[in-house]
Amino acid sequence: MSVDDSAIEVQAQGWRTLAALHNRIEAELERALQDAGELSVVEFTMLSVLGRQPGSWHMRMQQVSRATALSPSATTRLVTRLEKRGLLRRILCDDDRRGIYTELTQAGAELLGSVQPAHERALRKALQEAREVPELALLVDAVTGLAGAASAVARSAAP
């Protein structure tokens, strides 16, 4: 049994379109975050993931790795870099001495808060500009639709 070459090409074209949109967005975010707070996109992602933790601002390293889509070793290097800047700290787990939490510091929370508006503006700008490219317009609409659906689900789940 063989796979139709045209089906593979459709999938490959879809992947290339997704990669093109991702690259456009990431480049715009990178510029904005560097200007606003000398953060890279991946550093912002790390701070943002931790900043969304209700009340505690901390997570186990494995959770951080999954949430940021980084390998464990890349996560460790990133945490070390942000820890040296005073934006994160590591804490040993009281229940399991092998467990390590990564926690956002007050300085990290303040930096995150200060760059968040620039991130939001850059994301809006990148999506608006990408929507003007015919090959990307449908994908932009799908991405923005997913965000709206996620917000609706979160609102319906709230007490």
Side-chain angles (χ1 to χ4, degrees), residues 19-59:
L21 178 60
H22 177 271
N23 290 341
R24 288 176 72 106
I25 292 169
E26 188 167 43
E28 187 66 37
L29 292 174
E30 195 74 41
R31 278 190 296 275
L33 291 169
Q34 283 295 317
D35 290 347
E38 297 183 4
L39 284 176
S40 68
V41 171
V42 71
E43 290 168 339
F44 173 85
T45 300
M46 174 74 72
L47 297 180
S48 180
V49 161
L50 291 168
R52 288 192 303 265
Q53 299 310 302
S56 64
W57 294 345
H58 72 262
M59 296 172 74

PDB file of all heavy atoms in Angstrom, residues 19-59:
ATOM      1  N   ALA A  19       4.634  26.888   9.389  1.00  0.00           N
ATOM      2  CA  ALA A  19       5.986  27.339   9.739  1.00  0.00           C
ATOM      3  C   ALA A  19       6.199  28.793   9.329  1.00  0.00           C
ATOM      4  O   ALA A  19       6.814  29.569  10.068  1.00  0.00           O
ATOM      5  CB  ALA A  19       7.030  26.437   9.080  1.00  0.00           C
ATOM      6  N   ALA A  20       5.674  29.187   8.174  1.00  0.00           N
ATOM      7  CA  ALA A  20       5.818  30.578   7.719  1.00  0.00           C
ATOM      8  C   ALA A  20       5.107  31.526   8.674  1.00  0.00           C
ATOM      9  O   ALA A  20       5.648  32.583   9.042  1.00  0.00           O
ATOM     10  CB  ALA A  20       5.265  30.735   6.302  1.00  0.00           C
ATOM     11  N   LEU A  21       3.907  31.159   9.111  1.00  0.00           N
ATOM     12  CA  LEU A  21       3.179  32.008  10.061  1.00  0.00           C
ATOM     13  C   LEU A  21       3.924  32.081  11.387  1.00  0.00           C
ATOM     14  O   LEU A  21       4.112  33.162  11.957  1.00  0.00           O
ATOM     15  CB  LEU A  21       1.751  31.489  10.270  1.00  0.00           C
ATOM     16  CG  LEU A  21       0.915  32.277  11.273  1.00  0.00           C
ATOM     17  CD1 LEU A  21       0.751  33.735  10.838  1.00  0.00           C
ATOM     18  CD2 LEU A  21      -0.449  31.610  11.466  1.00  0.00           C
ATOM     19  N   HIS A  22       4.375  30.946  11.878  1.00  0.00           N
ATOM     20  CA  HIS A  22       5.122  30.906  13.136  1.00  0.00           C
ATOM     21  C   HIS A  22       6.362  31.795  13.059  1.00  0.00           C
ATOM     22  O   HIS A  22       6.635  32.578  13.977  1.00  0.00           O
ATOM     23  CB  HIS A  22       5.524  29.463  13.456  1.00  0.00           C
ATOM     24  CG  HIS A  22       6.359  29.347  14.684  1.00  0.00           C
ATOM     25  ND1 HIS A  22       7.737  29.428  14.652  1.00  0.00           N
ATOM     26  CD2 HIS A  22       6.021  29.177  15.982  1.00  0.00           C
ATOM     27  CE1 HIS A  22       8.208  29.307  15.886  1.00  0.00           C
ATOM     28  NE2 HIS A  22       7.194  29.155  16.702  1.00  0.00           N
ATOM     29  N   ASN A  23       7.110  31.696  11.980  1.00  0.00           N
ATOM     30  CA  ASN A  23       8.338  32.488  11.842  1.00  0.00           C
ATOM     31  C   ASN A  23       8.045  33.982  11.810  1.00  0.00           C
ATOM     32  O   ASN A  23       8.784  34.766  12.410  1.00  0.00           O
ATOM     33  CB  ASN A  23       9.100  32.065  10.586  1.00  0.00           C
ATOM     34  CG  ASN A  23       9.700  30.679  10.718  1.00  0.00           C
ATOM     35  OD1 ASN A  23       9.861  30.157  11.821  1.00  0.00           O
ATOM     36  ND2 ASN A  23      10.014  30.065   9.593  1.00  0.00           N
ATOM     37  N   ARG A  24       6.984  34.389  11.122  1.00  0.00           N
ATOM     38  CA  ARG A  24       6.615  35.805  11.072  1.00  0.00           C
ATOM     39  C   ARG A  24       6.265  36.317  12.474  1.00  0.00           C
ATOM     40  O   ARG A  24       6.708  37.387  12.882  1.00  0.00           O
ATOM     41  CB  ARG A  24       5.413  36.013  10.155  1.00  0.00           C
ATOM     42  CG  ARG A  24       5.695  35.855   8.695  1.00  0.00           C
ATOM     43  CD  ARG A  24       4.410  35.990   7.908  1.00  0.00           C
ATOM     44  NE  ARG A  24       3.958  37.368   7.888  1.00  0.00           N
ATOM     45  CZ  ARG A  24       4.042  38.166   6.842  1.00  0.00           C
ATOM     46  NH1 ARG A  24       4.560  37.718   5.711  1.00  0.00           N
ATOM     47  NH2 ARG A  24       3.605  39.402   6.903  1.00  0.00           N
ATOM     48  N   ILE A  25       5.451  35.542  13.186  1.00  0.00           N
ATOM     49  CA  ILE A  25       5.024  35.948  14.529  1.00  0.00           C
ATOM     50  C   ILE A  25       6.223  35.993  15.464  1.00  0.00           C
ATOM     51  O   ILE A  25       6.412  36.965  16.206  1.00  0.00           O
ATOM     52  CB  ILE A  25       3.931  34.999  15.068  1.00  0.00           C
ATOM     53  CG1 ILE A  25       2.649  35.177  14.265  1.00  0.00           C
ATOM     54  CG2 ILE A  25       3.676  35.253  16.549  1.00  0.00           C
ATOM     55  CD1 ILE A  25       1.593  34.117  14.548  1.00  0.00           C
ATOM     56  N   GLU A  26       7.044  34.955  15.435  1.00  0.00           N
ATOM     57  CA  GLU A  26       8.188  34.902  16.344  1.00  0.00           C
ATOM     58  C   GLU A  26       9.161  36.050  16.102  1.00  0.00           C
ATOM     59  O   GLU A  26       9.687  36.646  17.046  1.00  0.00           O
ATOM     60  CB  GLU A  26       8.900  33.559  16.240  1.00  0.00           C
ATOM     61  CG  GLU A  26       9.967  33.395  17.312  1.00  0.00           C
ATOM     62  CD  GLU A  26      10.470  31.979  17.428  1.00  0.00           C
ATOM     63  OE1 GLU A  26      10.712  31.336  16.397  1.00  0.00           O
ATOM     64  OE2 GLU A  26      10.628  31.520  18.573  1.00  0.00           O
ATOM     65  N   ALA A  27       9.398  36.397  14.843  1.00  0.00           N
ATOM     66  CA  ALA A  27      10.321  37.498  14.532  1.00  0.00           C
ATOM     67  C   ALA A  27       9.773  38.821  15.079  1.00  0.00           C
ATOM     68  O   ALA A  27      10.522  39.620  15.653  1.00  0.00           O
ATOM     69  CB  ALA A  27      10.532  37.594  13.026  1.00  0.00           C
ATOM     70  N   GLU A  28       8.476  39.057  14.930  1.00  0.00           N
ATOM     71  CA  GLU A  28       7.866  40.292  15.438  1.00  0.00           C
ATOM     72  C   GLU A  28       7.921  40.334  16.968  1.00  0.00           C
ATOM     73  O   GLU A  28       8.245  41.361  17.569  1.00  0.00           O
ATOM     74  CB  GLU A  28       6.412  40.394  14.956  1.00  0.00           C
ATOM     75  CG  GLU A  28       5.749  41.703  15.288  1.00  0.00           C
ATOM     76  CD  GLU A  28       6.362  42.890  14.549  1.00  0.00           C
ATOM     77  OE1 GLU A  28       6.760  42.755  13.384  1.00  0.00           O
ATOM     78  OE2 GLU A  28       6.440  43.970  15.176  1.00  0.00           O
ATOM     79  N   LEU A  29       7.612  39.199  17.602  1.00  0.00           N
ATOM     80  CA  LEU A  29       7.665  39.128  19.068  1.00  0.00           C
ATOM     81  C   LEU A  29       9.089  39.328  19.580  1.00  0.00           C
ATOM     82  O   LEU A  29       9.301  40.011  20.582  1.00  0.00           O
ATOM     83  CB  LEU A  29       7.109  37.794  19.565  1.00  0.00           C
ATOM     84  CG  LEU A  29       5.617  37.563  19.381  1.00  0.00           C
ATOM     85  CD1 LEU A  29       5.251  36.139  19.791  1.00  0.00           C
ATOM     86  CD2 LEU A  29       4.797  38.589  20.144  1.00  0.00           C
ATOM     87  N   GLU A  30      10.037  38.732  18.896  1.00  0.00           N
ATOM     88  CA  GLU A  30      11.443  38.837  19.318  1.00  0.00           C
ATOM     89  C   GLU A  30      11.880  40.300  19.336  1.00  0.00           C
ATOM     90  O   GLU A  30      12.492  40.766  20.295  1.00  0.00           O
ATOM     91  CB  GLU A  30      12.332  38.012  18.381  1.00  0.00           C
ATOM     92  CG  GLU A  30      13.716  37.755  18.904  1.00  0.00           C
ATOM     93  CD  GLU A  30      13.773  36.734  20.020  1.00  0.00           C
ATOM     94  OE1 GLU A  30      13.077  35.710  19.970  1.00  0.00           O
ATOM     95  OE2 GLU A  30      14.529  36.993  20.983  1.00  0.00           O
ATOM     96  N   ARG A  31      11.563  41.024  18.263  1.00  0.00           N
ATOM     97  CA  ARG A  31      11.930  42.449  18.196  1.00  0.00           C
ATOM     98  C   ARG A  31      11.272  43.225  19.335  1.00  0.00           C
ATOM     99  O   ARG A  31      11.918  44.009  20.037  1.00  0.00           O
ATOM    100  CB  ARG A  31      11.497  43.052  16.855  1.00  0.00           C
ATOM    101  CG  ARG A  31      12.449  42.791  15.726  1.00  0.00           C
ATOM    102  CD  ARG A  31      12.085  43.609  14.482  1.00  0.00           C
ATOM    103  NE  ARG A  31      10.787  43.260  13.920  1.00  0.00           N
ATOM    104  CZ  ARG A  31      10.558  42.278  13.069  1.00  0.00           C
ATOM    105  NH1 ARG A  31      11.566  41.526  12.656  1.00  0.00           N
ATOM    106  NH2 ARG A  31       9.356  42.033  12.615  1.00  0.00           N
ATOM    107  N   ALA A  32       9.986  43.020  19.521  1.00  0.00           N
ATOM    108  CA  ALA A  32       9.241  43.774  20.537  1.00  0.00           C
ATOM    109  C   ALA A  32       9.741  43.468  21.943  1.00  0.00           C
ATOM    110  O   ALA A  32       9.893  44.377  22.769  1.00  0.00           O
ATOM    111  CB  ALA A  32       7.747  43.469  20.426  1.00  0.00           C
ATOM    112  N   LEU A  33       9.997  42.197  22.242  1.00  0.00           N
ATOM    113  CA  LEU A  33      10.435  41.816  23.585  1.00  0.00           C
ATOM    114  C   LEU A  33      11.856  42.286  23.873  1.00  0.00           C
ATOM    115  O   LEU A  33      12.163  42.672  25.005  1.00  0.00           O
ATOM    116  CB  LEU A  33      10.314  40.302  23.774  1.00  0.00           C
ATOM    117  CG  LEU A  33       8.881  39.781  23.829  1.00  0.00           C
ATOM    118  CD1 LEU A  33       8.859  38.267  23.745  1.00  0.00           C
ATOM    119  CD2 LEU A  33       8.160  40.280  25.069  1.00  0.00           C
ATOM    120  N   GLN A  34      12.712  42.261  22.873  1.00  0.00           N
ATOM    121  CA  GLN A  34      14.069  42.777  23.066  1.00  0.00           C
ATOM    122  C   GLN A  34      14.014  44.270  23.360  1.00  0.00           C
ATOM    123  O   GLN A  34      14.709  44.748  24.256  1.00  0.00           O
ATOM    124  CB  GLN A  34      14.931  42.510  21.830  1.00  0.00           C
ATOM    125  CG  GLN A  34      15.410  41.081  21.708  1.00  0.00           C
ATOM    126  CD  GLN A  34      16.351  40.692  22.830  1.00  0.00           C
ATOM    127  OE1 GLN A  34      17.232  41.433  23.221  1.00  0.00           O
ATOM    128  NE2 GLN A  34      16.156  39.493  23.363  1.00  0.00           N
ATOM    129  N   ASP A  35      13.190  44.996  22.617  1.00  0.00           N
ATOM    130  CA  ASP A  35      13.068  46.440  22.833  1.00  0.00           C
ATOM    131  C   ASP A  35      12.449  46.764  24.190  1.00  0.00           C
ATOM    132  O   ASP A  35      12.869  47.698  24.862  1.00  0.00           O
ATOM    133  CB  ASP A  35      12.209  47.081  21.726  1.00  0.00           C
ATOM    134  CG  ASP A  35      12.908  47.092  20.386  1.00  0.00           C
ATOM    135  OD1 ASP A  35      14.132  46.848  20.329  1.00  0.00           O
ATOM    136  OD2 ASP A  35      12.215  47.347  19.372  1.00  0.00           O
ATOM    137  N   ALA A  36      11.454  45.982  24.597  1.00  0.00           N
ATOM    138  CA  ALA A  36      10.710  46.288  25.824  1.00  0.00           C
ATOM    139  C   ALA A  36      11.412  45.833  27.100  1.00  0.00           C
ATOM    140  O   ALA A  36      11.255  46.464  28.147  1.00  0.00           O
ATOM    141  CB  ALA A  36       9.321  45.655  25.767  1.00  0.00           C
ATOM    142  N   GLY A  37      12.170  44.745  27.031  1.00  0.00           N
ATOM    143  CA  GLY A  37      12.736  44.242  28.285  1.00  0.00           C
ATOM    144  C   GLY A  37      13.919  43.331  28.142  1.00  0.00           C
ATOM    145  O   GLY A  37      14.260  42.593  29.063  1.00  0.00           O
ATOM    146  N   GLU A  38      14.563  43.355  26.986  1.00  0.00           N
ATOM    147  CA  GLU A  38      15.721  42.508  26.750  1.00  0.00           C
ATOM    148  C   GLU A  38      15.438  41.050  27.073  1.00  0.00           C
ATOM    149  O   GLU A  38      16.223  40.369  27.737  1.00  0.00           O
ATOM    150  CB  GLU A  38      16.940  43.034  27.503  1.00  0.00           C
ATOM    151  CG  GLU A  38      17.366  44.399  27.031  1.00  0.00           C
ATOM    152  CD  GLU A  38      18.624  44.916  27.704  1.00  0.00           C
ATOM    153  OE1 GLU A  38      19.234  44.190  28.501  1.00  0.00           O
ATOM    154  OE2 GLU A  38      18.987  46.063  27.411  1.00  0.00           O
ATOM    155  N   LEU A  39      14.285  40.577  26.579  1.00  0.00           N
ATOM    156  CA  LEU A  39      13.896  39.175  26.717  1.00  0.00           C
ATOM    157  C   LEU A  39      13.780  38.547  25.336  1.00  0.00           C
ATOM    158  O   LEU A  39      13.354  39.211  24.395  1.00  0.00           O
ATOM    159  CB  LEU A  39      12.528  39.046  27.393  1.00  0.00           C
ATOM    160  CG  LEU A  39      12.414  39.252  28.880  1.00  0.00           C
ATOM    161  CD1 LEU A  39      10.955  39.184  29.313  1.00  0.00           C
ATOM    162  CD2 LEU A  39      13.230  38.225  29.642  1.00  0.00           C
ATOM    163  N   SER A  40      14.108  37.274  25.249  1.00  0.00           N
ATOM    164  CA  SER A  40      13.835  36.530  24.025  1.00  0.00           C
ATOM    165  C   SER A  40      12.415  35.967  24.126  1.00  0.00           C
ATOM    166  O   SER A  40      11.797  35.987  25.198  1.00  0.00           O
ATOM    167  CB  SER A  40      14.840  35.385  23.866  1.00  0.00           C
ATOM    168  OG  SER A  40      14.615  34.401  24.863  1.00  0.00           O
ATOM    169  N   VAL A  41      11.924  35.452  23.028  1.00  0.00           N
ATOM    170  CA  VAL A  41      10.586  34.853  23.029  1.00  0.00           C
ATOM    171  C   VAL A  41      10.538  33.686  24.003  1.00  0.00           C
ATOM    172  O   VAL A  41       9.585  33.547  24.775  1.00  0.00           O
ATOM    173  CB  VAL A  41      10.174  34.408  21.605  1.00  0.00           C
ATOM    174  CG1 VAL A  41       8.899  33.583  21.636  1.00  0.00           C
ATOM    175  CG2 VAL A  41       9.994  35.617  20.696  1.00  0.00           C
ATOM    176  N   VAL A  42      11.548  32.838  24.009  1.00  0.00           N
ATOM    177  CA  VAL A  42      11.538  31.674  24.891  1.00  0.00           C
ATOM    178  C   VAL A  42      11.647  32.098  26.361  1.00  0.00           C
ATOM    179  O   VAL A  42      11.034  31.490  27.240  1.00  0.00           O
ATOM    180  CB  VAL A  42      12.611  30.631  24.477  1.00  0.00           C
ATOM    181  CG1 VAL A  42      14.012  31.107  24.771  1.00  0.00           C
ATOM    182  CG2 VAL A  42      12.340  29.297  25.116  1.00  0.00           C
ATOM    183  N   GLU A  43      12.402  33.158  26.640  1.00  0.00           N
ATOM    184  CA  GLU A  43      12.478  33.660  28.019  1.00  0.00           C
ATOM    185  C   GLU A  43      11.116  34.212  28.455  1.00  0.00           C
ATOM    186  O   GLU A  43      10.667  33.954  29.577  1.00  0.00           O
ATOM    187  CB  GLU A  43      13.556  34.739  28.131  1.00  0.00           C
ATOM    188  CG  GLU A  43      14.959  34.201  27.991  1.00  0.00           C
ATOM    189  CD  GLU A  43      16.006  35.287  27.813  1.00  0.00           C
ATOM    190  OE1 GLU A  43      15.669  36.426  27.401  1.00  0.00           O
ATOM    191  OE2 GLU A  43      17.184  35.000  28.098  1.00  0.00           O
ATOM    192  N   PHE A  44      10.470  34.963  27.572  1.00  0.00           N
ATOM    193  CA  PHE A  44       9.132  35.473  27.884  1.00  0.00           C
ATOM    194  C   PHE A  44       8.169  34.318  28.126  1.00  0.00           C
ATOM    195  O   PHE A  44       7.373  34.356  29.066  1.00  0.00           O
ATOM    196  CB  PHE A  44       8.607  36.355  26.736  1.00  0.00           C
ATOM    197  CG  PHE A  44       7.184  36.760  26.936  1.00  0.00           C
ATOM    198  CD1 PHE A  44       6.867  37.873  27.698  1.00  0.00           C
ATOM    199  CD2 PHE A  44       6.146  36.023  26.387  1.00  0.00           C
ATOM    200  CE1 PHE A  44       5.539  38.244  27.915  1.00  0.00           C
ATOM    201  CE2 PHE A  44       4.827  36.383  26.588  1.00  0.00           C
ATOM    202  CZ  PHE A  44       4.526  37.497  27.353  1.00  0.00           C
ATOM    203  N   THR A  45       8.255  33.297  27.291  1.00  0.00           N
ATOM    204  CA  THR A  45       7.370  32.140  27.445  1.00  0.00           C
ATOM    205  C   THR A  45       7.545  31.507  28.814  1.00  0.00           C
ATOM    206  O   THR A  45       6.574  31.178  29.493  1.00  0.00           O
ATOM    207  CB  THR A  45       7.630  31.113  26.326  1.00  0.00           C
ATOM    208  OG1 THR A  45       7.382  31.739  25.069  1.00  0.00           O
ATOM    209  CG2 THR A  45       6.739  29.889  26.472  1.00  0.00           C
ATOM    210  N   MET A  46       8.787  31.354  29.234  1.00  0.00           N
ATOM    211  CA  MET A  46       9.067  30.769  30.555  1.00  0.00           C
ATOM    212  C   MET A  46       8.452  31.621  31.662  1.00  0.00           C
ATOM    213  O   MET A  46       7.770  31.103  32.552  1.00  0.00           O
ATOM    214  CB  MET A  46      10.576  30.647  30.767  1.00  0.00           C
ATOM    215  CG  MET A  46      10.993  30.198  32.153  1.00  0.00           C
ATOM    216  SD  MET A  46      10.720  28.461  32.481  1.00  0.00           S
ATOM    217  CE  MET A  46      11.988  27.726  31.480  1.00  0.00           C
ATOM    218  N   LEU A  47       8.691  32.931  31.621  1.00  0.00           N
ATOM    219  CA  LEU A  47       8.137  33.821  32.654  1.00  0.00           C
ATOM    220  C   LEU A  47       6.612  33.789  32.620  1.00  0.00           C
ATOM    221  O   LEU A  47       5.955  33.775  33.667  1.00  0.00           O
ATOM    222  CB  LEU A  47       8.644  35.251  32.465  1.00  0.00           C
ATOM    223  CG  LEU A  47      10.151  35.477  32.600  1.00  0.00           C
ATOM    224  CD1 LEU A  47      10.487  36.950  32.378  1.00  0.00           C
ATOM    225  CD2 LEU A  47      10.681  34.992  33.931  1.00  0.00           C
ATOM    226  N   SER A  48       6.054  33.769  31.426  1.00  0.00           N
ATOM    227  CA  SER A  48       4.602  33.770  31.274  1.00  0.00           C
ATOM    228  C   SER A  48       3.965  32.492  31.823  1.00  0.00           C
ATOM    229  O   SER A  48       2.946  32.544  32.510  1.00  0.00           O
ATOM    230  CB  SER A  48       4.252  33.943  29.791  1.00  0.00           C
ATOM    231  OG  SER A  48       2.874  33.949  29.593  1.00  0.00           O
ATOM    232  N   VAL A  49       4.581  31.353  31.527  1.00  0.00           N
ATOM    233  CA  VAL A  49       4.077  30.072  32.042  1.00  0.00           C
ATOM    234  C   VAL A  49       4.057  30.098  33.573  1.00  0.00           C
ATOM    235  O   VAL A  49       3.065  29.725  34.202  1.00  0.00           O
ATOM    236  CB  VAL A  49       4.940  28.893  31.516  1.00  0.00           C
ATOM    237  CG1 VAL A  49       4.765  27.643  32.351  1.00  0.00           C
ATOM    238  CG2 VAL A  49       4.618  28.628  30.055  1.00  0.00           C
ATOM    239  N   LEU A  50       5.138  30.561  34.170  1.00  0.00           N
ATOM    240  CA  LEU A  50       5.207  30.614  35.636  1.00  0.00           C
ATOM    241  C   LEU A  50       4.277  31.690  36.194  1.00  0.00           C
ATOM    242  O   LEU A  50       3.679  31.504  37.251  1.00  0.00           O
ATOM    243  CB  LEU A  50       6.643  30.862  36.088  1.00  0.00           C
ATOM    244  CG  LEU A  50       7.589  29.691  35.820  1.00  0.00           C
ATOM    245  CD1 LEU A  50       9.031  30.116  36.008  1.00  0.00           C
ATOM    246  CD2 LEU A  50       7.246  28.508  36.694  1.00  0.00           C
ATOM    247  N   GLY A  51       4.136  32.789  35.493  1.00  0.00           N
ATOM    248  CA  GLY A  51       3.281  33.877  35.953  1.00  0.00           C
ATOM    249  C   GLY A  51       1.810  33.532  35.955  1.00  0.00           C
ATOM    250  O   GLY A  51       1.010  34.165  36.646  1.00  0.00           O
ATOM    251  N   ARG A  52       1.426  32.515  35.182  1.00  0.00           N
ATOM    252  CA  ARG A  52       0.017  32.092  35.144  1.00  0.00           C
ATOM    253  C   ARG A  52      -0.347  31.117  36.252  1.00  0.00           C
ATOM    254  O   ARG A  52      -1.502  30.713  36.364  1.00  0.00           O
ATOM    255  CB  ARG A  52      -0.305  31.475  33.785  1.00  0.00           C
ATOM    256  CG  ARG A  52      -0.375  32.494  32.669  1.00  0.00           C
ATOM    257  CD  ARG A  52      -0.966  31.903  31.399  1.00  0.00           C
ATOM    258  NE  ARG A  52      -0.255  30.738  30.920  1.00  0.00           N
ATOM    259  CZ  ARG A  52       0.709  30.762  30.003  1.00  0.00           C
ATOM    260  NH1 ARG A  52       1.090  31.899  29.478  1.00  0.00           N
ATOM    261  NH2 ARG A  52       1.300  29.651  29.611  1.00  0.00           N
ATOM    262  N   GLN A  53       0.609  30.745  37.080  1.00  0.00           N
ATOM    263  CA  GLN A  53       0.329  29.816  38.179  1.00  0.00           C
ATOM    264  C   GLN A  53      -0.354  30.572  39.305  1.00  0.00           C
ATOM    265  O   GLN A  53       0.235  31.475  39.879  1.00  0.00           O
ATOM    266  CB  GLN A  53       1.615  29.147  38.676  1.00  0.00           C
ATOM    267  CG  GLN A  53       2.319  28.346  37.627  1.00  0.00           C
ATOM    268  CD  GLN A  53       1.378  27.398  36.914  1.00  0.00           C
ATOM    269  OE1 GLN A  53       0.744  26.561  37.538  1.00  0.00           O
ATOM    270  NE2 GLN A  53       1.271  27.549  35.617  1.00  0.00           N
ATOM    271  N   PRO A  54      -1.593  30.227  39.615  1.00  0.00           N
ATOM    272  CA  PRO A  54      -2.338  31.001  40.615  1.00  0.00           C
ATOM    273  C   PRO A  54      -1.655  31.013  41.981  1.00  0.00           C
ATOM    274  O   PRO A  54      -1.387  29.973  42.545  1.00  0.00           O
ATOM    275  CB  PRO A  54      -3.693  30.302  40.696  1.00  0.00           C
ATOM    276  CG  PRO A  54      -3.657  29.159  39.756  1.00  0.00           C
ATOM    277  CD  PRO A  54      -2.304  29.089  39.123  1.00  0.00           C
ATOM    278  N   GLY A  55      -1.339  32.209  42.423  1.00  0.00           N
ATOM    279  CA  GLY A  55      -0.829  32.405  43.774  1.00  0.00           C
ATOM    280  C   GLY A  55       0.593  31.976  44.039  1.00  0.00           C
ATOM    281  O   GLY A  55       1.271  32.566  44.854  1.00  0.00           O
ATOM    282  N   SER A  56       1.089  30.964  43.344  1.00  0.00           N
ATOM    283  CA  SER A  56       2.392  30.398  43.725  1.00  0.00           C
ATOM    284  C   SER A  56       3.535  30.772  42.800  1.00  0.00           C
ATOM    285  O   SER A  56       4.678  30.814  43.223  1.00  0.00           O
ATOM    286  CB  SER A  56       2.293  28.869  43.756  1.00  0.00           C
ATOM    287  OG  SER A  56       2.024  28.377  42.457  1.00  0.00           O
ATOM    288  N   TRP A  57       3.256  30.999  41.532  1.00  0.00           N
ATOM    289  CA  TRP A  57       4.276  31.306  40.531  1.00  0.00           C
ATOM    290  C   TRP A  57       5.347  30.230  40.433  1.00  0.00           C
ATOM    291  O   TRP A  57       6.470  30.491  40.079  1.00  0.00           O
ATOM    292  CB  TRP A  57       4.952  32.636  40.792  1.00  0.00           C
ATOM    293  CG  TRP A  57       4.115  33.848  40.664  1.00  0.00           C
ATOM    294  CD1 TRP A  57       2.891  33.965  40.077  1.00  0.00           C
ATOM    295  CD2 TRP A  57       4.443  35.151  41.116  1.00  0.00           C
ATOM    296  NE1 TRP A  57       2.442  35.248  40.136  1.00  0.00           N
ATOM    297  CE2 TRP A  57       3.389  36.007  40.790  1.00  0.00           C
ATOM    298  CE3 TRP A  57       5.535  35.681  41.768  1.00  0.00           C
ATOM    299  CZ2 TRP A  57       3.390  37.346  41.086  1.00  0.00           C
ATOM    300  CZ3 TRP A  57       5.531  37.016  42.072  1.00  0.00           C
ATOM    301  CH2 TRP A  57       4.476  37.838  41.726  1.00  0.00           C
ATOM    302  N   HIS A  58       5.048  28.986  40.813  1.00  0.00           N
ATOM    303  CA  HIS A  58       6.078  27.959  40.673  1.00  0.00           C
ATOM    304  C   HIS A  58       5.509  26.663  40.104  1.00  0.00           C
ATOM    305  O   HIS A  58       4.315  26.400  40.205  1.00  0.00           O
ATOM    306  CB  HIS A  58       6.821  27.696  41.985  1.00  0.00           C
ATOM    307  CG  HIS A  58       6.028  26.980  43.020  1.00  0.00           C
ATOM    308  ND1 HIS A  58       5.402  27.626  44.041  1.00  0.00           N
ATOM    309  CD2 HIS A  58       5.774  25.658  43.207  1.00  0.00           C
ATOM    310  CE1 HIS A  58       4.790  26.743  44.816  1.00  0.00           C
ATOM    311  NE2 HIS A  58       5.000  25.549  44.330  1.00  0.00           N
ATOM    312  N   MET A  59       6.406  25.902  39.491  1.00  0.00           N
ATOM    313  CA  MET A  59       6.065  24.617  38.888  1.00  0.00           C
ATOM    314  C   MET A  59       7.279  23.696  38.999  1.00  0.00           C
ATOM    315  O   MET A  59       8.411  24.167  39.079  1.00  0.00           O
ATOM    316  CB  MET A  59       5.752  24.775  37.387  1.00  0.00           C
ATOM    317  CG  MET A  59       4.550  25.621  37.068  1.00  0.00           C
ATOM    318  SD  MET A  59       4.404  25.932  35.277  1.00  0.00           S
ATOM    319  CE  MET A  59       3.828  24.356  34.679  1.00  0.00           C
TER     320      MET A  59
END
